[in-house]
Amino acid sequence: MQKDNDIYKEIRPYNDEEVSGAIQRLINDKEFITAILNYRFPQLSGVLGWLLIPLIKRFLIRKWSNVKTVEDVQFQVAKYMNATIDHSCDGVTFSGLDNLDPNQSYLFVSNHRDIAMDPAMVNWCLFQNNFKTVRIAIGDNLLKKPCATELMRLNKSFIVKRSAKGPREMMKTLGLLSSYISNSLETGNSIWIAQKEGRAKDGNDKTDPAILKMFYMEGRKRKESFDEFMPKLNIVPVAISYENDPCDVAKAKELYEKATSGSYEKGEFEDIESIIQGIVGEKRHIHVSFGEVIKAPLETPEELAEEIDRQITQNYHLFPANYIAAGIEHESATEEERNRFNDKIADLTEGVAGILKKMYAFPAIKKQ
């Protein structure tokens, strides 16, 4: 990357020359090594932890010795994803990719159910079909630890600075982000971004027009109208459906807490726990549906948001739990599936169970 282009240095993913340095910093990051220790050897991490730390470091040095480029990192991530899918899923299917061109860059605007798995599943489908993987938009609220930032930027993530203070700083931050997204697309790099900030915990996938206004900031700078600039971004709506959401009970409890007491206080490591739960928890089947490129000249962010929502709702793949929760008769909603769903909510309080049911019912009701 040329120096004159490095106005994005603070937010962009690492490039090839920066990979080795980032890996070195991770290996020397005490918190990162301790996290691996606690995760892989929970019984030994207390008393004998200090003995294992040098061994873990040595193992990582050996394992990552051949990782020199961004593409090498992607191959490692793909191997990890294959293992994760084998352990936590009954299968991944996808649709719509045959309508897209592997030599074209796209702005994938997707529904958002899982912090790490949503972009990972989109990437996995692209990777399996010889498309280039995407650059991933990630909020800086998830990057409180230096090791998290290193890992994300190694894995083609760019930073959305949500913590910017004051209108002026906010506009500057969003302008740079908008410019970076356009620059990425124009240099042949596809982008993944969620349709709104935060996951759709209630199961209702809705696009926030503010995200689309941010995309257009670069168009306004170029003195182009909304309906002239936006089709150039090749926006593709993506609907990701999980048969079972490993974080569903946690989401339902949070929503219940907010509904009954008016607020909800997140624990210090809650986001990290959600990420781990989302990755290792049981998901059953996953379907990733790639929509059609939006080429129609729509005049307002609201109209464009409506078209993205229409495609996501239409392309959302419904599973038995969705029909059962919505009370809709369907051949897939067998006795066995009904029992499975009832077991899931059996131990929950009535309020939490009601919210969890709505979460699964929403996509089916919307589609009807």
Side-chain angles (χ1 to χ4, degrees), residues 114 246-248 250 272-283:
D114 188 276
C247 300
D248 53 9
I272 299 298
E273 280 159 14
S274 295
I275 289 172
I276 293 169
Q277 185 57 29
I279 293 170
V280 302
E282 187 202 356
K283 290 168 275 291

Side-chain angles (χ1 to χ4, degrees), residues 72-309:
D72 294 342
V73 175
Q74 292 299 290
F75 274 106
Q76 291 288 334
V77 173
K79 276 201 294 203
Y80 181 75
M81 276 311 297
N82 285 332
T84 301
I85 287 167
D86 287 347
H87 286 304
S88 71
C89 307
D90 297 338
V92 179
T93 50
F94 57 88
S95 54
L97 263 186
D98 43 358
N99 301 321
L100 302 179
D101 175 2
N103 300 312
Q104 177 65 55
S105 51
Y106 297 102
L107 175 47
F108 295 108
V109 178
S110 115
N111 65 335
H112 194 24
R113 298 302 183 85
D114 188 276
I115 298 169
M117 289 304 288
D118 293 350
M121 289 325 306
V122 168
N123 260 345
W124 188 82
C125 295
L126 294 171
F127 189 80
Q128 299 295 323
N129 290 277
N130 301 314
F131 281 72
K132 271 172 76 175
T133 51
V134 296
R135 291 177 173 175
I136 300 163
I138 181 162
D140 61 358
N141 55 309
L142 299 173
L143 304 177
K144 296 194 177 108
K145 305 275 181 207
C147 58
T149 308
E150 298 288 4
L151 282 169
M152 293 302 186
R153 291 181 77 179
L154 273 170
N155 189 29
K156 291 178 78 169
S157 298
F158 61 96
I159 300 166
V160 177
K161 294 194 173 178
R162 292 184 179 154
S163 53
K165 301 274 184 285
R168 207 192 216 137
E169 192 191 336
M170 202 68 198
M171 290 307 279
K172 195 177 155 197
T173 298
L174 293 174
L176 186 68
L177 186 60
S178 181
S179 166
Y180 177 73
I181 288 170
S182 289
N183 178 274
S184 293
L185 295 166
E186 285 159 6
T187 52
N189 295 284
S190 290
I191 295 278
W192 176 91
I193 193 166
Q195 65 183 160
K196 70 182 185 68
E197 193 181 308
R199 294 168 292 165
K201 294 178 184 143
D202 60 357
N204 184 12
D205 301 314
K206 266 192 92 55
T207 305
D208 183 355
I211 301 261
L212 310 179
K213 289 175 188 168
M214 179 272 287
F215 295 161
Y216 176 55
M217 286 174 83
E218 182 61 20
R220 180 175 288 138
K221 202 166 101 188
R222 298 178 188 187
K223 311 229 180 316
E224 292 179 38
S225 66
F226 187 84
D227 60 351
E228 190 184 358
F229 178 75
M230 297 306 272
K232 295 178 184 173
L233 299 179
N234 288 327
I235 293 175
V236 175
V238 180
I240 306 168
S241 332
Y242 299 90
E243 183 169 10
N244 184 66
D245 178 348
C247 300
D248 53 9
V249 174
K251 289 177 185 175
K253 284 180 174 169
E254 176 181 335
L255 292 176
Y256 180 72
E257 179 77 23
K258 272 186 186 159
T260 50
S261 70
S263 68
Y264 175 79
E265 197 57 52
K266 250 191 202 178
E268 190 191 348
F269 300 112
E270 200 161 321
D271 284 333
I272 299 298
E273 280 159 14
S274 295
I275 289 172
I276 293 169
Q277 185 57 29
I279 293 170
V280 302
E282 187 202 356
K283 290 168 275 291
R284 298 190 71 197
H285 291 91
I286 302 173
H287 185 81
V288 183
S289 181
F290 294 87
E292 292 169 6
V293 185
I294 300 175
K295 281 298 188 189
L298 300 164
E299 300 206 341
T300 65
E302 289 70 27
E303 278 176 54
L304 180 53
E306 219 168 282
E307 172 55 21
I308 294 169
D309 289 349

